[in-house]
Amino acid sequence: MPIALTDAQISALEAYLELFIKWNKAYNLSAIRDPEEMVTKHLLDSLSIAHLLEGERFIDVGTGGGLPGIPLAITYPNKHFTLLDSAGKKTRFLFQVKQALGLDNVEIENRRVEAFKPEPLFEGVISRAFASLKDMIDNCQHLIKENGKFWAMKGVFPDHELSELEKHYMVDASHALQVPGLEEQRCLIVLSRKNIQ
């Protein structure tokens, strides 16, 4: 993968995975139980967009057990990541991860996205397992700056979902993602809002 991690960052990712496995038994953070599968489908999948991110302040909406927010925060200690989820047990896990790993660049919000009124606004909204692109934009457009972007992690290229978007949203970029050990298709769709005069 086109990112360089220090030994300390790799150790932090391993520590996160250990916590994830431990808490998953009681908190049901993921249906995946096999640690090797977690490395591929959680850690590496999350890191597959790391080299493409532009900006300093991001919100990971519907983060669940912290994916992709925690791996990205470990990779980029100088960027800020807010992890939002409405499930209290998942955010309790995330508070534990933040403390255990000393992630000063992570903020955790336990609330519904519609109720969150951030100050300042974010440069990017990241979503890995959100519903449709239309739902992502409808529910999250109040979170980003005027020139902010939506970073949507998807499986196969979402032609149908893109056709449902309002005309003033445009695709800035679409990237085929390569996840080591994963045969399934993955892509990243970057969307932005056109200025309407």
Side-chain angles (χ1 to χ4, degrees), residues 31-100:
I32 298 170
R33 295 286 188 257
D34 175 49
E36 280 189 31
E37 214 179 336
M38 284 182 179
V39 170
T40 302
K41 292 189 173 175
H42 290 337
L43 292 187
L44 298 180
D45 190 57
S46 294
L47 292 173
S48 67
I49 68 165
H51 65 292
L52 300 167
L53 282 188
E54 297 164 3
E56 300 302 320
R57 296 188 78 253
F58 298 91
I59 181 165
D60 176 8
V61 175
T63 187
L67 300 161
I70 295 288
L72 292 174
I74 290 168
T75 304
Y76 292 118
N78 296 325
K79 295 183 190 293
H80 181 274
F81 294 87
T82 295
L83 311 185
L84 182 142
D85 204 279
S86 59
K89 62 183 183 179
K90 290 178 178 171
T91 53
R92 280 193 292 280
F93 164 69
L94 294 174
F95 276 113
Q96 178 68 28
V97 170
K98 175 182 162 79
Q99 284 189 306

Side-chain angles (χ1 to χ4, degrees), residues 1-14:
M1 298 179 79
I3 50 168
L5 297 172
T6 65
D7 289 345
Q9 286 172 315
I10 291 167
S11 295
L13 288 168
E14 289 171 348

Side-chain angles (χ1 to χ4, degrees), residues 113-114 130 132-142 150 164-166 169:
V113 66
E114 302 87 349
F130 214 78
S132 69
L133 293 174
K134 184 178 188 314
D135 285 347
M136 180 186 182
I137 285 172
D138 288 349
N139 290 312
C140 303
Q141 58 188 342
H142 67 287
F150 293 90
E164 295 177 334
L165 297 181
E166 294 175 42
Y169 283 95

